[in-house]
Amino acid sequence: MGNSYCGSTYFGLLSLLAHSSPSALANERIGLFSYGSGLAATLFSLRATEAPAAALFNTGDVLARLEQRTESTPEEFTAALERRKAAHGRASYAPTLDHEVFPGTYVLRNIDEHYRRTYERV
């Protein structure tokens, strides 16, 4: 998932939903905890009835999508980070997409001279 920081809290919730059933989680308390920056942390809990829990299970077939990921070596990942670093703060820039993305994903198409971004759904 890359550097997701706080997003990892919600990836954990998504994992729980993907590996459970609505009836198994109905009326159960789910705790979510985030360390924050190290200065402060947050703990909150959720409790769902069976009907809303069933609606949460429409996770976009997350397990199948995870199986479609492309494995990268540490060197490939480092190279991708270097490309990102080189593009940071640039204007009048149009990145090239050097990897496949899921259909329906929004990707950056360009950044104009005023740093306005244009995205396109692929």
XYZ file of all heavy atoms in Angstrom, residues 65 68 100-106 121-122:
95
model
N -8.984 -7.594 -5.746
C -8.162 -6.468 -6.205
C -6.757 -6.542 -5.621
O -5.779 -6.220 -6.301
C -8.826 -5.149 -5.850
C -10.092 -4.923 -6.673
C -10.726 -3.616 -6.396
N -9.883 -2.543 -6.935
C -10.198 -1.267 -6.858
N -11.303 -0.888 -6.268
N -9.396 -0.351 -7.361
N -4.494 -8.727 -7.545
C -4.068 -8.198 -8.839
C -2.875 -7.241 -8.720
O -2.386 -6.743 -9.733
C -5.226 -7.468 -9.519
C -6.369 -8.374 -9.885
C -7.562 -7.584 -10.407
O -7.464 -6.402 -10.687
N -8.695 -8.239 -10.522
N 0.337 -0.161 -14.598
C -1.101 -0.335 -14.799
C -1.853 0.099 -13.546
O -1.351 -0.022 -12.432
C -1.410 -1.803 -15.095
C -0.906 -2.263 -16.452
C -1.329 -3.691 -16.755
O -2.460 -4.069 -16.393
O -0.528 -4.416 -17.357
N -3.049 0.627 -13.755
C -3.916 0.997 -12.642
C -5.259 0.320 -12.833
O -5.616 -0.096 -13.938
C -4.098 2.528 -12.530
C -2.777 3.212 -12.206
C -4.694 3.107 -13.788
N -6.015 0.196 -11.757
C -7.333 -0.415 -11.833
C -8.255 0.452 -12.680
O -8.194 1.687 -12.608
C -7.943 -0.582 -10.437
C -7.260 -1.609 -9.591
C -6.532 -1.227 -8.485
C -7.355 -2.960 -9.896
C -5.903 -2.168 -7.692
C -6.736 -3.905 -9.114
C -6.005 -3.511 -8.011
N -9.124 -0.155 -13.474
C -10.105 0.639 -14.228
C -10.929 1.511 -13.277
O -11.308 1.069 -12.199
C -10.989 -0.415 -14.900
C -10.132 -1.640 -14.958
C -9.260 -1.583 -13.728
N -11.154 2.755 -13.665
C -11.911 3.678 -12.840
C -11.044 4.523 -11.927
O -11.546 5.402 -11.224
N -9.732 4.289 -11.926
C -8.819 5.052 -11.089
C -8.593 6.435 -11.689
O -8.466 6.585 -12.898
C -7.459 4.322 -10.984
O -7.665 3.041 -10.399
C -6.463 5.108 -10.149
N -8.548 7.457 -10.840
C -8.203 8.802 -11.290
C -6.688 8.956 -11.264
O -6.046 8.611 -10.272
C -8.845 9.865 -10.390
C -10.317 10.004 -10.609
C -11.233 9.259 -9.855
C -10.817 10.859 -11.585
C -12.596 9.384 -10.065
C -12.179 10.991 -11.805
C -13.049 10.249 -11.042
O -14.390 10.369 -11.255
N -10.022 10.021 -15.360
C -10.394 8.672 -14.928
C -10.066 7.684 -16.043
O -10.485 7.897 -17.176
C -11.865 8.634 -14.566
C -12.264 7.380 -13.843
C -13.658 7.505 -13.299
N -13.908 6.402 -12.437
C -15.061 6.148 -11.900
N -16.082 6.969 -12.109
N -15.229 5.110 -11.123
N -9.319 6.659 -15.719
C -8.935 5.674 -16.744
C -9.750 4.402 -16.604
O -10.347 4.138 -15.614
C -7.431 5.341 -16.686
C -6.619 6.567 -17.041
C -7.020 4.803 -15.322
